[in-house]
Amino acid sequence: ENGATQGKVNINRADKAELMTLTGIGETKAEAILSYRETNRGFQSLEELKLLKNFPPAEIERLKPYIIF
């Protein structure tokens, strides 16, 4: 089962390549998401992206319509 659903990316299931389909998410940010997910058993909310390096609030807001859990 992949992490993409109706054009949205499941931040708790997507692999690196799927995460990188999100605008503004390159290899470094995708790896940060995967690392956080492994350490913390996934994301409960988009607010948790603020805990990662290089995720300014404006970018998190921009990503909201494209991410599911």
Side-chain angles (χ1 to χ4, degrees):
E1 181 176 331
N2 70 23
T5 306
Q6 299 170 349
K8 297 188 179 196
V9 174
N10 184 320
I11 199 169
N12 286 321
R13 291 190 178 166
D15 62 21
K16 187 162 97 172
E18 286 172 320
L19 290 170
M20 289 172 62
T21 66
L22 293 164
T23 303
I25 303 295
E27 195 166 346
T28 302
K29 287 183 179 178
E31 287 172 357
I33 290 170
L34 294 174
S35 177
Y36 181 90
R37 198 167 78 188
E38 287 171 23
T39 305
N40 298 280
R41 296 189 176 151
F43 289 86
Q44 305 305 312
S45 77
L46 211 53
E47 298 300 304
E48 289 177 73
L49 283 176
K50 292 178 183 172
L51 302 173
L52 304 180
K53 190 177 176 186
N54 299 322
F55 278 91
E59 181 169 18
I60 295 168
E61 278 298 312
R62 187 179 50 72
L63 288 170
K64 272 185 182 176
Y66 308 106
I67 291 177
I68 58 171
F69 298 92

